[in-house]
Amino acid sequence: MDEPTRVDTEPDTGTDAKAETPEGATETGDTDALKQAVIEMLCTVTDPEIPVNIYELGLVYEVEVTGDGDVRVVMTLTTPNCPVAESMPGEVEYKVGTVPGVREVYVELVWDPPWTPDRMSEAAKLELGFI
């Protein structure tokens, strides 16, 4: 397996505060609650050209959370020529890193399998007028 792309870009969000601890998370590492909090944070990242978050668009292929709070996000973009190809992985890493309980974030940008509109959730398809 290839090493994940490590992006160290920190977008300026105007705040250094961390979000509140996810309900149900524990100090020992409730990975299910932490994973849910990470997914909720991913839902705050939107593609600037499409008014739907990256999770509902189906750009996030996998979210892995360890008991130590390490998070691996495997994602793609709508196209390799996407104008946000350099900035979006950094935004994902930064935002996920603000979730309480997250220790390290690794964002892996992949192109296989390629993204297609079939990967979108029903809500995203409805929002974009596909159904």
Side-chain angles (χ1 to χ4, degrees):
M1 181 165 83
D2 294 328
E3 283 292 314
T5 302
R6 179 83 166 123
V7 183
D8 291 320
T9 307
E10 291 189 19
D12 182 15
T13 63
T15 180
D16 291 330
K18 290 234 178 201
E20 291 183 24
T21 302
E23 186 175 324
T26 65
E27 288 186 26
T28 59
D30 182 347
T31 58
D32 290 339
L34 186 54
K35 182 175 181 176
Q36 185 58 42
V38 167
I39 289 169
E40 289 173 14
M41 183 58 74
L42 290 170
C43 289
T44 70
V45 179
T46 58
D47 185 316
E49 296 180 332
I50 305 170
V52 176
N53 72 68
I54 64 171
Y55 195 80
E56 295 294 328
L57 274 177
L59 297 178
V60 177
Y61 288 172
E62 189 174 348
V63 176
E64 294 178 357
V65 177
T66 70
D68 292 335
D70 293 341
V71 176
R72 178 175 167 257
V73 177
V74 179
M75 64 175 290
T76 194
L77 300 172
T78 55
T79 174
N81 298 323
C82 184
V84 295
E86 291 187 27
S87 63
M88 189 173 292
E91 181 181 0
V92 168
E93 179 185 27
Y94 179 76
K95 285 190 170 185
V96 170
T98 67
V99 175
V102 170
R103 186 177 72 161
E104 291 285 335
V105 181
Y106 304 94
V107 176
E108 184 177 349
L109 191 59
V110 299
W111 304 111
D112 188 36
W115 178 86
T116 67
D118 294 336
R119 296 196 57 87
M120 291 190 294
S121 70
E122 293 296 314
K125 289 176 184 177
L126 184 62
E127 177 75 23
L128 295 173
F130 282 75
I131 55 174

